[in-house]
Structure formats: structure tokens, C-alpha cells
Amino acid sequence: MSRRCELTGKGPMSGNNVSHAKNRTRRRFLPNLQDVTLMSDVLGRSFKLKISNAALRTVDHRGGLDAFMAKAKDAELSTDALKIKKEIAKATAA
């Protein structure tokens, strides 16, 4: 189970914990991932994805899963999300 957003590709980042005495120890900043079910209006079915909270806000802002997938870059999407994007593109073309 990777800690990576399926829609935006956000993953863990690394940085430092800095104490009051300026001692630095390495740490990880994990993305805020949520298990959500998103509905596709074109296909008429839902998809279960593990996405970041920022990606969920972007999906709502763009007007749903179909509109988000139309503008999404293929390099950022996971393999499951790429399959969904191709299904949506095929359904809208027909």
C-alpha cells in the first residue's frame, strides 16, 4: 500500500524536526490521504480511490470526476485512474 494520491501523484516528502535548541532530526511529511468513492456521471457508476484531500477539493472545484479526468495529466495518474480516464474519454466520444 503506497502512500501516494491516485489522482495528483502527491507522495511523502522529507524534512527536519527542529527543536528549540536547533537540533535537527529527519522526518517525513505524509499526504492527507482519504478513501473516497467518486461517481462518474458519464459512465453512471462509482469508483473507489485513495486520494489526497487537496485532490478531492480540486475534483469538486472542476465539477466532478469526469471534468477532472479530462484535464488531468497522464503522468500524475495511477494505473487504475488511467483506466478510468480512458473509459470516460471513450464514453464521451461515443
Side-chain angles (χ1 to χ4, degrees), residues 1-71:
M1 179 178 96
S2 71
R3 292 189 171 114
R4 188 162 295 277
C5 176
E6 293 188 51
L7 297 182
T8 60
K10 280 189 177 187
M13 295 175 61
S14 61
N16 290 312
N17 277 331
V18 182
S19 70
H20 185 69
K22 301 283 198 256
N23 296 327
R24 287 170 168 81
T25 55
R26 297 303 284 179
R27 62 160 292 181
R28 294 178 75 194
F29 294 95
L30 300 177
N32 186 10
L33 296 180
Q34 308 294 327
D35 288 318
V36 296
T37 303
L38 297 173
M39 183 74 180
S40 171
D41 297 329
V42 174
L43 299 175
R45 54 183 273 225
S46 59
F47 299 96
K48 193 168 184 176
L49 298 168
K50 189 169 198 167
I51 64 172
S52 65
N53 208 35
L56 183 59
R57 288 170 48 107
T58 307
V59 168
D60 287 340
H61 178 74
R62 289 192 184 166
L65 181 64
D66 302 330
F68 180 88
M69 288 295 193
K71 290 186 175 181

